[in-house]
């Protein structure tokens, strides 16, 4: 096993200590596994809380800051955080305007955030929840009932975070988050398996010369195994899979996301092919983001997320944001 770690048992705590040292604008509670923007709670603002298993960085801790999340709860690698973390995060960031939980559609996340919402409401904290379920590759998977939550999580957290930053009320921030999720679709492809620190070996078998078409961000099986394809062929297949499920009437946001081990040289080349397909299909592109944002440890591969937007959603997307993983306009 070749990993830049000490021991598997401390990998998340070690990462959180490093995050705290690198980002003094955040309050990082290593023991209780909560990352909070240092100026929280912000008077009059709805707070956004999200979280999930570690191994998807910068999601979610890297998206804590003005214009995006108020707090994040990192679980162990590929393991849901627990309700106590979520409750602690909600209490730390609630200004009285309410808290929106952004939940990826994985069974552990859904159950634990539901329990945390009940606990928070018992303590007088108003809570709303939005479920992100954008992956069109499969309907059900090893970890979900229904579609998996993947790249659209970034769009939901950024756009809803901007709405909260403007002082919009909880009901409106929740509605914006739901609109973004409903307008977004994703599809991913793995060129190699990922390796968890605890296992020390690939989490699934992917023979040389094959790829997993429609993979999940934990290495869950996709639609099928296919012989290795070119970037052009993968873009054709992935974008068509998304557009078979949605017919954009408005321009779209595009996320070309690396799974963790794919260099930008390849991702930008892949983006060129994605843009080609969208042009051929008559889909207008408003903004494009390319990079590693919703990752799967050291998996090679990429995902594409499209989100249909209107002028208001685009304005919120363009609004300033200042987090470790996403920053512009400030």
């Amino acid at each position: 096993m070749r990993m830049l770690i000490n021991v598997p048992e401390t990998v998340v705590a070690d990462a959180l200590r490093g995050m705290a040292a690198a980002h003094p604008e955040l309050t990082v509670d290593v023991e209780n596994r909560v990352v909070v923007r240092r100026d929280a709670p912000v008077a009059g603002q709805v707070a956004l809380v999200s979280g999930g298993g570690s191994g998807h960085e910068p999601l979610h801790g890297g998206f804590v800051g003005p214009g995006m999340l108020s707090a994040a709860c990192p679980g162990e690698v590929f393991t849901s955080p627990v309700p106590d973390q979520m409750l602690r995060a909600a209490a730390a960031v609630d200004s009285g305007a309410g808290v929106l939980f952004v939940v990826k559609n994985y069974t552990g996340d859904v159950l634990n955030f539901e329990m945390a919402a009940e606990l928070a409401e018992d303590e007088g904290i108003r809570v709303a929840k939005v479920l992100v379920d954008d992956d069109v590759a499969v309907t059900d998977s090893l970890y979900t009932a229904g579609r998996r939550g993947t790249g659209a999580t970034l769009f939901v957290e950024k756009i809803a975070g901007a709405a909260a930053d403007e002082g919009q009320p909880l009901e409106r921030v929740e509605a914006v988050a739901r609109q973004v999720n409903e307008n977004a679709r994703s599809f991913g492809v793995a060129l190699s398996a990922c390796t968890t620190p605890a296992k020390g070996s690939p989490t699934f078998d992917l023979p040389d010369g094959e790829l997993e078409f429609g993979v999940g961000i934990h290495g869950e099986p996709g639609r099928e195994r296919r012989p290795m394809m070119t970037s052009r062929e993968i873009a054709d297949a992935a974008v068509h899979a998304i557009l078979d499920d949605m017919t954009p009437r408005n321009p779209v946001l595009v996320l070309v996301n690396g799974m963790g081990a794919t260099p930008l040289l390849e991702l930008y080349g892949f983006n060129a092919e994605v843009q080609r397909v969208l042009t051929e299909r008559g889909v207008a592109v408003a903004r494009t983001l390319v990079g590693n944002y919703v990752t799967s440890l050291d998996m090679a591969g990429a995902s594409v997320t499209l989100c249909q937007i209107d002028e208001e959603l685009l304005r919120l997307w363009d609004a300033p944001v200042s987090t470790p993983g996403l920053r512009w306009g400030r």
Side-chain angles (χ1 to χ4, degrees):
M1 180 173 65
R2 295 184 179 182
M3 290 184 174
L4 193 62
I5 65 172
N6 293 316
V7 293
E9 292 77 13
T10 65
V11 66
V12 175
D14 291 345
L16 289 174
R17 283 198 296 272
M19 172 176 270
H23 298 286
E25 72 275 17
L26 302 178
T27 299
V28 181
D29 185 338
V30 177
E31 181 179 356
N32 293 298
R33 306 289 173 88
V34 177
V35 180
V36 179
R37 53 184 285 184
R38 187 169 289 278
D39 60 351
V42 180
Q45 284 190 16
V46 170
L48 266 68
V49 175
S50 193
S54 296
H56 305 303
E57 289 73 20
L59 190 79
H60 290 274
F63 295 147
V64 174
M68 213 161 177
L69 293 178
S70 306
C73 309
E76 291 297 326
V77 173
F78 290 179
T79 302
S80 174
V82 298
D84 284 351
Q85 288 174 263
M86 301 160 186
L87 176 60
R88 189 180 297 271
V93 299
D94 179 40
S95 68
V99 176
L100 178 66
F101 283 165
V102 179
V103 188
K104 300 191 306 303
N105 189 30
Y106 294 96
T107 301
D109 291 4
V110 171
L111 293 175
N112 287 349
F113 269 105
E114 183 69 35
M115 186 178 299
E118 294 174 2
L119 294 171
E121 288 166 352
D122 288 343
E123 296 194 5
I125 301 171
R126 286 196 302 141
V127 176
K129 303 181 294 296
V130 61
L131 187 69
V132 182
D133 56 353
D134 55 302
D135 186 2
V136 304
V138 295
T139 301
D140 297 300
S141 74
L142 297 176
Y143 296 88
T144 64
R147 291 177 169 177
R148 301 174 294 212
T150 57
T153 311
L154 182 150
F155 289 151
V156 170
E157 292 177 355
K158 169 63 185 77
I159 294 173
D165 213 39
E166 292 182 347
Q168 296 191 30
L170 180 60
E171 295 76 14
R172 177 57 185 158
V173 176
E174 178 189 4
V176 166
R178 292 188 184 281
Q179 182 183 359
V180 173
N181 179 64
E182 290 167 1
N183 289 354
R185 302 289 189 277
S186 297
F187 196 92
V189 177
L191 310 181
S192 73
C194 58
T195 300
T196 63
K199 191 171 187 289
S201 60
T203 54
F204 62 95
D205 176 47
L206 187 58
D208 290 342
E210 294 187 3
L211 55 78
E212 185 73 39
F213 188 68
V215 73
I217 58 173
H218 306 95
E220 308 101 303
R223 292 186 176 184
E224 59 183 314
R225 293 282 172 88
R226 291 190 178 185
M228 187 59 198
M229 303 157 67
T230 66
S231 176
R232 182 184 185 90
E233 292 168 336
I234 293 172
D236 281 329
V239 176
H240 285 309
I242 291 173
L243 295 180
D244 285 347
D245 198 84
M246 68 183 293
T247 304
R249 297 178 300 278
N250 295 333
V252 297
L253 300 175
V254 179
L255 171 62
V256 171
N257 172 69
M259 296 293 198
T262 303
L264 278 171
L265 179 71
E266 297 177 28
L267 290 177
Y268 278 120
F270 183 53
N271 179 55
E273 299 297 344
V274 169
Q275 302 288 332
R276 171 188 57 78
V277 181
L278 293 172
T279 299
E280 291 172 354
R281 291 287 297 264
V283 179
V285 175
R287 302 285 187 273
T288 301
L289 186 64
V290 179
N292 289 283
Y293 294 101
V294 183
T295 62
S296 186
L297 294 169
D298 60 343
M299 182 186 289
S303 63
V304 178
T305 303
L306 305 181
C307 180
Q308 182 178 206
I309 56 163
D310 56 23
E311 290 184 3
E312 174 66 4
L313 295 184
L314 182 59
R315 183 185 68 80
L316 293 170
W317 174 257
D318 286 340
V321 60
S322 181
T323 71
L326 206 66
R327 184 184 302 265
W328 59 66
R330 289 185 186 267

